[in-house]
Amino acid sequence: MKDLVTINEIAKLANVSRTTVSRVLNNSGYVSDEARARVLKVIEETGYVPSHQAKSLRTKQTKVVGVILPKISTGTSSRVVMGMDEVFSERGYQILLANTNLQREKEIEFLNLLKSRRVDGIILLATNIDEKLVKEIENIDIPFVAVGQEIPHCSYVVHDDYNAAKTITNKLIEKGRKHIAFIGVYESDYAVGVLRKRGYIDALKEHDLAIEPSLIAVCDFKLESGYKAMEEIMMNAPVFPDGVFAATHRLAIGAMQYLKEKNVKIPDEISVASIGDSDLSKIYSPALTTIDYEYEEAGRKAAEILLRQIEEKNKEQQKITLGYRLIERDSI
């Protein structure tokens, strides 16, 4: 019966107006306790379920937001989404996740798909930003927020990658390391590939330490890539590195695995540090010194910005840079 009952029939059975039923369903406007009780009783007896599709047509809102992730299985993505969900759940919104699995063409595909699904807004956990993606984002006519990368003419929430990289490199220098290797990622990822490398280089310069190209390796984000990058550095560098800064914790763990297999003692012979904390960073031996970002807070901030755009029609660009925390463990 629940699929056949309409608001008009609820109103007739409860002997109230259609407006009164609507106010009860939406918990808005004045309704006497007696009338509210009659409406709720009829709803319970009939098993009436409001049509969300009809409601969305009236309000022009679906109460659904799309979130595009680079890789759904990573701890980083899950922590960001957890933060978002805290905010969205409180306001009655649902999250529709889209996983690109690090395939760049999927980002544009999902942007268009989510638009066609009439979501109220989109949050993109951005990695590689190119002109094609920027142009696509500029043409989006619904609320949009980026997380992790600065995108022109858009609201975004980012981490302080440059200063975080300087901080971790300075910590290695503080420990007396003078030949510090860097394992980074490709520069198509501006935040991780460019800013973290720049922070590393500037820290060395400020301490009058040489920039040694043979101590720098670039690869993708995989753990095994960190292993191979460390192998490349150890085989080709004319000087033995006494420190390693890896741009991500997975690259650092891969590098440490290679060093352990070659019986290089950590931290006695070489110190290792990274950006991005995880459960693996804590339980690996030796435990990894790293920079921890406020990933949950990034999700919360992005959700708050998007809701202001959706509910308050606030189109002012919000640009937020979050802080970080150095966690010193056994690897240095």
Side-chain angles (χ1 to χ4, degrees):
M1 183 176 180
K2 67 176 71 174
D3 293 330
L4 302 177
V5 180
T6 65
I7 287 183
N8 288 334
E9 289 169 310
I10 295 292
K12 186 176 180 181
L13 290 169
N15 194 27
V16 297
S17 69
R18 189 181 190 283
T19 300
T20 297
V21 176
S22 179
R23 286 177 176 176
V24 172
L25 290 172
N26 293 295
N27 196 28
S28 64
Y30 172 76
V31 178
S32 70
D33 292 341
E34 181 186 356
R36 184 182 300 276
R38 291 204 307 272
V39 171
L40 292 175
K41 183 180 179 183
V42 171
I43 288 173
E44 183 179 356
E45 290 175 348
T46 59
Y48 172 76
V49 177
S51 169
H52 292 291
Q53 183 177 19
K55 185 177 179 181
S56 70
L57 288 173
R58 291 194 306 274
T59 63
K60 295 184 179 179
Q61 287 187 355
T62 61
K63 288 285 187 175
V64 177
V65 295
V67 177
I68 303 174
L69 307 172
K71 202 167 181 64
I72 200 168
S73 60
T74 66
T76 298
S77 293
S78 63
R79 288 175 62 185
V80 175
V81 173
M82 283 173 60
M84 292 178 192
D85 191 52
E86 286 180 27
V87 176
F88 286 133
S89 293
E90 288 181 0
R91 303 279 275 274
Y93 285 77
Q94 293 180 314
I95 296 175
L96 182 61
L97 296 178
N99 177 33
T100 68
N101 202 27
L102 296 175
Q103 298 178 51
R104 297 177 67 180
E105 66 278 4
K106 286 279 189 180
E107 289 180 329
I108 292 177
E109 182 181 325
F110 282 135
L111 281 172
N112 291 320
L113 177 62
L114 290 171
K115 282 167 57 181
S116 70
R117 293 290 179 91
R118 296 178 58 83
V119 296
D120 291 339
I122 296 173
I123 296 178
L124 169 66
L125 273 67
T127 52
N128 300 329
I129 304 299
D130 56 23
E131 289 184 15
K132 187 176 180 182
L133 179 62
V134 170
K135 186 172 291 187
E136 195 69 33
I137 290 170
E138 287 176 348
N139 292 328
I140 290 178
D141 55 359
I142 61 174
F144 175 88
V145 179
V147 175
Q149 302 279 357
E150 298 182 13
I151 299 180
H153 315 302
C154 290
S155 291
Y156 58 73
V157 180
V158 296
H159 302 285
D160 194 352
D161 288 285
Y162 172 77
N163 283 308
K166 282 188 73 174
T167 296
I168 203 73
T169 306
N170 283 333
K171 176 56 67 172
L172 290 168
I173 295 170
E174 179 186 308
K175 294 293 182 179
R177 306 308 182 181
K178 299 185 182 301
H179 303 286
I180 301 171
F182 175 75
I183 300 176
V185 302
Y186 300 114
E187 293 189 355
S188 53
D189 186 320
Y190 186 77
V192 182
V194 176
L195 293 179
R196 295 185 190 181
K197 182 179 180 182
R198 188 178 296 167
Y200 155 80
I201 289 174
D202 286 353
L204 294 182
K205 287 180 178 178
E206 288 175 11
H207 288 84
D208 296 321
L209 295 176
I211 313 299
E212 304 175 59
S214 60
L215 293 181
I216 297 175
V218 176
C219 55
D220 58 30
F221 286 86
K222 297 175 184 175
L223 189 146
E224 54 265 34
S225 299
Y227 181 102
K228 292 176 181 176
M230 192 73 252
E231 180 181 34
E232 175 187 327
I233 289 170
M234 295 297 285
M235 292 181 66
N236 298 327
V239 60
F240 184 88
D242 55 12
V244 179
F245 164 39
T248 75
H249 77 276
R250 293 180 66 82
L251 295 178
I253 297 295
M256 291 168 73
Q257 186 61 33
Y258 172 83
L259 294 170
K260 289 175 74 172
E261 290 179 10
K262 297 303 178 183
N263 296 315
V264 179
K265 295 179 181 178
I266 308 169
D268 296 342
E269 296 177 86
I270 185 170
S271 294
V272 183
S274 75
I275 290 179
D277 195 26
S278 70
D279 290 339
L280 183 59
S281 304
K282 300 167 190 172
I283 65 173
Y284 195 84
S285 181
L288 180 63
T289 292
T290 190
I291 292 282
D292 185 33
Y293 280 155
E294 301 171 347
Y295 291 116
E296 291 88 352
E297 183 64 9
R300 286 189 286 268
K301 290 294 185 185
E304 289 166 0
I305 293 171
L306 195 73
L307 286 175
R308 281 197 292 273
Q309 293 183 26
I310 294 170
E311 297 181 346
E312 301 173 19
K313 311 301 181 185
N314 186 341
K315 296 183 179 181
E316 181 183 352
Q317 290 175 27
Q318 302 287 309
K319 301 177 180 181
I320 296 177
T321 301
L322 297 175
Y324 55 86
R325 179 170 62 106
L326 173 65
I327 303 175
E328 187 172 339
R329 299 194 181 104
D330 299 335
S331 65
I332 65 170

